[in-house]
Amino acid sequence: MFVQTISGRIRDRDRFVREAERWPAELKPGAKGYLGCTWGIAADGTAFLAARFESADDAKHNADRPEQGEWWQQMEPALDAPEFQDCAMVDTMMGGGSDDAGFVQVIVGRVKDEAAARSTIRDAEDELRASRPDILGITMAWHGDGGGFTQLVYFRSEADARSGERDDTGSELDRRYQEMMAGEPRFIDLTDPHFD
């Protein structure tokens, strides 16, 4: 799987929503290898979009289409200094995500040792499933720079997420997760997530 993320401060909310909704209706039919998308706007005004493709080649094929370029010309003014991450390495847990989610927490950060972190995450899936039933699925997209990542965690509701977070704080699993981190991650909370 290949994931491309786009994030930035919202400049024109109506335009962002309009173009995010227009893409699946008008451009999706010609997008080879397209798997789906999660997008939304956080309360602090950060817009976020993550598009999934079967491969980097499929994503490039889509990016090279004239209609994709035209779509981006309409979308770009909605964002202030948009940032892109092209992630060719992607790990999923518990199915990767869920369109049933009512809350998606996006975590952008860096780990100390990417290979060790990926191994730890894979090994912890059963433990996480048992200890955090509030989590519906996780997608971890690696930036390809030796430790940077964007993680999408899907929850049924924000209340479930906050409750699970409180119950898990200080657990062995939480301790291992914190030890992997190189600095404080940034959180983008999508309280009204959209899916395609």
Side-chain angles (χ1 to χ4, degrees):
M1 186 191 305
F2 178 90
V3 172
Q4 181 178 71
T5 69
I6 305 171
S7 61
R9 299 290 298 175
I10 201 76
R11 182 185 291 164
D12 185 334
R13 179 179 294 264
D14 291 342
R15 179 186 284 261
F16 179 82
V17 170
R18 182 178 67 245
E19 294 305 318
E21 290 177 343
R22 185 170 73 86
W23 195 94
E26 297 181 14
L27 283 82
K28 175 180 172 178
K32 178 184 172 191
Y34 171 74
L35 298 174
C37 182
T38 298
W39 63 273
I41 303 170
D44 69 356
T46 301
F48 177 84
L49 186 151
R52 302 181 308 279
F53 290 85
E54 289 181 5
S55 69
D57 286 345
D58 289 338
K60 184 178 184 320
H61 178 269
N62 178 67
D64 290 343
R65 294 189 300 157
E67 57 267 41
Q68 179 69 20
E70 292 164 7
W71 174 83
W72 179 245
Q73 286 180 350
Q74 295 301 311
M75 172 61 100
E76 186 175 18
L79 301 171
D80 184 23
E83 297 177 10
F84 292 81
Q85 289 292 343
D86 291 331
C87 307
M89 288 188 300
V90 180
D91 295 317
T92 61
M93 299 173 74
M94 296 182 253
S98 174
D99 290 354
D100 294 329
F103 175 68
V104 176
Q105 186 167 71
V106 180
I107 305 166
V108 182
R110 175 169 291 281
V111 295
K112 297 169 188 169
D113 182 328
E114 184 175 311
R118 294 185 76 195
S119 177
T120 297
I121 289 165
R122 283 192 297 270
D123 293 345
E125 182 166 1
D126 289 342
E127 188 179 353
L128 185 63
R129 190 187 304 275
S131 67
R132 292 294 303 269
D134 53 308
I135 297 175
L136 300 177
I138 298 173
T139 298
M140 192 95 167
W142 298 94
H143 298 173
D145 59 1
F149 68 86
T150 299
Q151 182 180 37
L152 290 84
V153 188
Y154 295 77
F155 301 90
R156 194 163 308 284
S157 70
E158 183 176 11
D160 284 354
R162 300 306 178 200
S163 175
E165 190 176 79
R166 280 192 302 274
D167 293 346
D168 192 52
T169 299
S171 71
E172 174 62 20
L173 196 59
D174 181 55
R175 184 190 66 75
R176 292 201 309 265
Y177 186 82
Q178 298 302 327
E179 283 183 353
M180 292 189 310
M181 295 300 149
E184 287 296 316
R186 179 169 58 105
F187 294 87
I188 304 170
D189 291 344
L190 306 180
T191 56
D192 181 25
H194 298 264
F195 312 104
D196 174 50

